[in-house]
Amino acid sequence: MSGTTEGPTPRAEAAPGAGASEITRCDHQRPGLSELRDYRAAYAAAALPMAVVDHRGRIARPNDALGGLLGADPASLTGQPAAGLVGLASDGPALRAYNEVLRGARPRFRCVRRLKHTDGRPLWAEVTVVRMGDVADGTGRVLLSVADVSERRELRERLRHLRMHDPVTRLPNRTLFFERLAAALAPPPVPDGSPAPRHGRIGLCYLDIDGFKAVNDTLGHRTGDRLLAAVAGRLTHCAEADGLSTGSPLVARLGGDEFAILVEDSSGTQQLADLARSVLAALQRPFEVTGHRLSVSASIGVVERATAGTSATALMQAADTTLYWAKADGRARWTLFDPERNAHRMTRQSLSSTLGPAVERGEFTLEYQPLVGMADEVVRGVEALVRWNHPRFGLLAPSRFVPIAEEDGTIVQLGRWVLRTACRQARLWQLEHPEDPPLFVSVNVAVRQVRDSDLVTDVAEVLAETGLEPGLLQLELTESAVMGSPGRPLRVLQALSDMGVRIAIDDFGTGYSNLAYLSRLPVSVLKLDGSFVRGFRYEDGAHPSPADETIVEAMVQLAHRLGLTVTAECVETSGQAERLRRIGCDTGQGWLYSRAVAPERIAELIGSRPQDS
């Protein structure tokens, strides 16, 4: 009788023919049935909508939450294309990324899609797709999850709205305006991903409120803010009326009292002009604000152009320039961008920015026009006329740059150079022709030189430096610079006259012509404006003006009685010269005698008649 040894009971018996290795694999690699049931129960009961998607992109196992989200029985979702259910099929880039996950080319993909909840409300969902298996062994599946992020999205949109809108007027602010402007000018994409040129047009009304600062300063910021809100309402109404057929333009507050109305699909200049007119009319009606009846207006710059080739920077620069024109032209108006006027402005800015350095670089030269005795036609003196040898624009006459120099103050620096150069040249002629009577030199002086510089000191230093006698220097000033200008200007002129310098009033007869005041000025010479002299023409079938001759004769007689000499400008014909001589003019200046010429040519005229040289 054989015996048995008791030992521990085996945990499992192998099936007939089963090897130990198979038992080990089954024991350690597969979860138990109860564990699998737990996993599946948790998956089905999970609050996060999920689905297992097979390698073909079809739903293999949806959970209950996904069915609830989509308003369908979970079982009915099995076998349906997952991309269509969660809104990926209609988005090319998202669909490509999703397919890459299915193919194993990328491990995961996430995006936000706008879906519709079963109750009909919109739903923002964060869709995540993650690989679960290996494509190579045929188990390639992905886990699709859909998270409701509507509240987070709404909060972000509210924060964005606050960041992109003005709290006073509730209008889009500067940030949103430029975002929309950039989008309107950006080239649209084409199927191959490259940008395509735009063929539309864009328009902009850029305005600020005339008189707003006075309201803000006198009635306070509370009233000012309410006025801005009321202005915003009227602008919005105008924009809505303009966009009844094409969509309303964007109205934005750019800051302070500046507003912009952007027309993204302009039909042309006429649409923008009509919109600007309606805005002006709307804002000119009085406002009732915090118990006050307020009247304001607006200055509006209008720009309309093709979107192709236009940048946001260029459009805003043009609008800003045009708004400046509207203000400079008198306010309470709209002005359309003018390329020719803008080119002139750009040239003016270029000249203004280089005037000072140009003096230092020696880009200016002087030409001289003879002043001839009417009785004997002998050259008595010359007027110095400045020219600018501009490296870009060529030789420029004084009319191109002197007004700019007067505006920005560069005329003081330039005037000193002209004075010194002209006096040095006059002294040089005197030394080179000692046997002939010396020529006096006449130099133009601007108002700012009299008011903003020590002109008396400048003249004294130049005369001492060059050795020119004071009596050979004549300073020409316009009527506006000296007439009716008590105080400093008059004291300056008196000091110069006391020094021996001659003072001439240029273009006499076109300004104040205050004859009573003239008697008290230290003036030596009157230069009659050329408009009177032109009335003396007999040539070319023109008839002389008796009135001009009477006026000139009266002015000459008055000047002589006051001890002044008279110079006639713009003498072009012998007939004019003869009549001016008979009336009693002392000297003449004009093309009959000579144009403005180089110093070398003047040296040839000293002691002679210009016509004989």
Side-chain angles (χ1 to χ4, degrees):
M1 177 176 158
S2 62
T4 60
T5 304
E6 294 185 2
T9 304
R11 195 171 57 174
E13 286 191 9
S21 62
E22 186 174 347
I23 295 173
T24 302
R25 180 170 58 82
C26 294
D27 195 39
H28 294 284
Q29 291 188 359
R30 286 193 314 193
L33 293 178
S34 61
E35 190 176 358
L36 284 174
R37 283 194 295 270
D38 289 343
Y39 288 158
R40 289 175 178 173
Y43 172 78
L48 178 65
M50 295 182 289
V52 175
V53 180
D54 64 23
H55 65 281
R56 298 173 302 167
R58 298 184 179 276
I59 292 181
R61 188 179 300 116
N63 71 351
D64 294 342
L66 182 62
L69 177 72
L70 300 177
D73 180 11
S76 68
L77 301 177
T78 302
Q80 294 192 35
L85 292 175
V86 293
L88 300 180
S90 59
D91 185 336
L95 184 61
R96 284 193 295 272
Y98 168 71
N99 287 329
E100 287 175 1
V101 177
L102 289 179
R103 296 195 308 269
R106 64 189 294 172
R108 64 175 56 235
F109 164 67
R110 177 178 295 166
C111 68
V112 176
R113 309 300 301 167
R114 191 172 187 273
L115 307 177
K116 183 177 289 188
H117 199 274
T118 52
D119 59 10
R121 63 182 173 85
L123 169 72
W124 286 100
E126 184 179 75
V127 178
T128 305
V129 184
V130 183
R131 287 208 56 79
M132 295 174 59
D134 189 358
V135 176
D137 64 5
T139 62
R141 291 175 298 174
V142 299
L143 178 65
L144 171 74
S145 62
V146 184
D148 186 348
V149 293
S150 298
E151 290 186 3
R152 187 172 69 192
R153 180 88 177 198
E154 289 171 3
L155 175 60
R156 189 168 69 183
E157 288 298 323
R158 286 197 297 271
L159 293 175
R160 172 181 166 79
H161 185 276
L162 292 174
R163 185 170 60 87
M164 295 289 194
H165 286 75
D166 171 51
V168 174
T169 63
R170 308 292 178 90
L171 291 177
N173 62 13
R174 189 180 190 88
T175 302
L176 181 53
F177 170 80
F178 279 102
E179 184 179 285
R180 283 280 296 274
L181 178 58
L185 294 174
V190 294
D192 64 359
S194 62
R198 283 189 176 272
H199 301 289
R201 301 189 67 82
I202 193 167
L204 178 64
C205 290
Y206 183 37
L207 64 141
D208 69 10
I209 310 304
D210 302 326
F212 173 75
K213 186 176 185 301
V215 172
N216 221 25
D217 291 346
T218 58
L219 300 179
H221 290 285
R222 176 171 172 269
T223 299
D225 286 350
R226 293 199 176 184
L227 175 59
L228 289 176
V231 166
R234 293 191 187 179
L235 294 180
T236 301
H237 177 75
C238 291
E240 290 173 347
D242 177 81
L244 289 177
S245 58
T246 59
S248 295
L250 174 73
V251 181
R253 182 189 177 199
L254 302 188
D257 62 346
E258 295 181 358
F259 295 84
I261 304 177
L262 179 65
V263 182
E264 297 184 37
D265 292 302
S266 169
S267 61
T269 302
Q270 188 61 50
Q271 179 188 5
L272 271 295
D274 291 343
L275 177 58
R277 290 190 191 96
S278 69
V279 167
L280 275 182
L283 297 185
Q284 285 174 344
R285 298 195 306 271
F287 292 84
E288 297 290 342
V289 179
T290 63
H292 299 279
R293 186 177 177 84
L294 305 176
S295 294
V296 295
S297 62
S299 298
I300 308 175
V302 179
V303 183
E304 201 280 337
R305 58 179 56 172
T307 53
T310 297
S311 67
T313 300
L315 189 69
M316 291 306 300
Q317 285 177 342
D320 186 63
T321 296
T322 313
L323 174 59
Y324 171 80
W325 292 344
K327 286 185 169 297
D329 291 344
R331 303 185 178 230
R333 68 188 62 227
W334 64 273
T335 301
L336 184 66
F337 181 76
D338 180 358
E340 184 175 341
R341 184 176 181 181
N342 186 59
H344 177 74
R345 179 187 69 89
M346 297 298 290
T347 301
R348 188 179 179 88
Q349 285 183 343
S350 175
L351 295 179
S352 178
S353 64
T354 55
L355 258 171
V359 177
E360 299 172 1
R361 290 193 297 265
E363 293 179 4
F364 290 91
T365 60
L366 290 184
E367 292 182 345
Y368 301 87
Q369 188 171 31
L371 295 161
V372 178
M374 298 295 291
D376 56 10
E377 295 186 349
V378 173
V379 178
R380 306 294 184 191
V382 292
E383 180 181 354
L385 299 171
V386 64
R387 306 286 189 261
W388 186 357
N389 285 310
H390 196 281
R392 177 181 173 190
F393 302 114
L395 188 66
L396 300 180
S399 59
R400 291 289 303 277
F401 59 87
V402 168
I404 302 173
E406 290 177 342
E407 286 182 11
D408 64 15
T410 317
I411 193 66
V412 174
Q413 178 188 7
L414 178 60
R416 288 195 187 103
W417 179 87
V418 171
L419 178 67
R420 179 173 288 103
T421 304
C423 290
R424 186 182 296 122
Q425 182 61 62
R427 178 59 176 160
L428 182 61
W429 286 324
Q430 185 181 15
L431 294 174
E432 291 177 345
H433 301 270
E435 69 285 357
D436 294 309
L439 300 182
F440 71 86
V441 63
S442 189
V443 176
N444 290 279
V445 176
V447 177
R448 291 193 69 158
Q449 288 178 265
V450 178
R451 295 177 179 171
D452 299 348
S453 69
D454 192 346
L455 184 61
V456 176
T457 300
D458 289 343
V459 170
E461 289 178 352
V462 167
L463 292 176
E465 174 189 323
T466 61
L468 188 69
E469 298 173 18
L472 295 178
L473 174 62
Q474 176 174 292
L475 299 181
E476 295 187 20
L477 297 94
T478 62
E479 286 189 54
S480 60
V482 295
M483 292 294 194
S485 300
R488 176 175 171 78
L490 185 56
R491 290 195 300 271
V492 169
L493 296 183
Q494 188 63 58
L496 290 169
S497 179
D498 293 343
M499 192 186 300
V501 174
R502 297 199 294 181
I503 306 297
I505 296 183
D506 196 13
D507 299 331
F508 185 78
T510 61
Y512 295 94
S513 300
N514 188 331
L515 301 180
Y517 194 74
L518 179 62
S519 65
R520 297 192 295 271
L521 285 172
V523 174
S524 305
V525 181
L526 294 185
K527 296 188 73 175
L528 299 181
D529 185 71
S531 61
F532 294 109
V533 177
R534 279 190 287 271
F536 282 44
R537 288 183 68 103
Y538 275 109
E539 293 78 359
D540 303 325
H543 296 283
S545 168
D548 282 347
E549 185 170 346
T550 301
I551 292 172
V552 170
E553 186 174 5
M555 287 193 293
V556 170
Q557 291 176 359
L558 174 64
H560 285 168
R561 290 183 179 180
L562 292 173
L564 310 178
T565 60
V566 179
T567 298
E569 297 180 300
C570 300
V571 182
E572 298 178 356
T573 69
S574 57
Q576 289 173 324
E578 177 59 31
R579 294 174 68 79
L580 290 166
R581 184 183 304 113
R582 188 170 64 250
I583 287 173
C585 283
D586 301 287
T587 55
Q589 177 182 2
W591 290 358
L592 173 65
Y593 307 111
S594 174
R595 295 174 183 263
V597 295
E600 297 78 13
R601 178 65 181 137
I602 295 296
E604 299 172 4
L605 299 178
I606 294 177
S608 66
R609 297 183 178 187
Q611 297 94 324
D612 299 335
S613 301

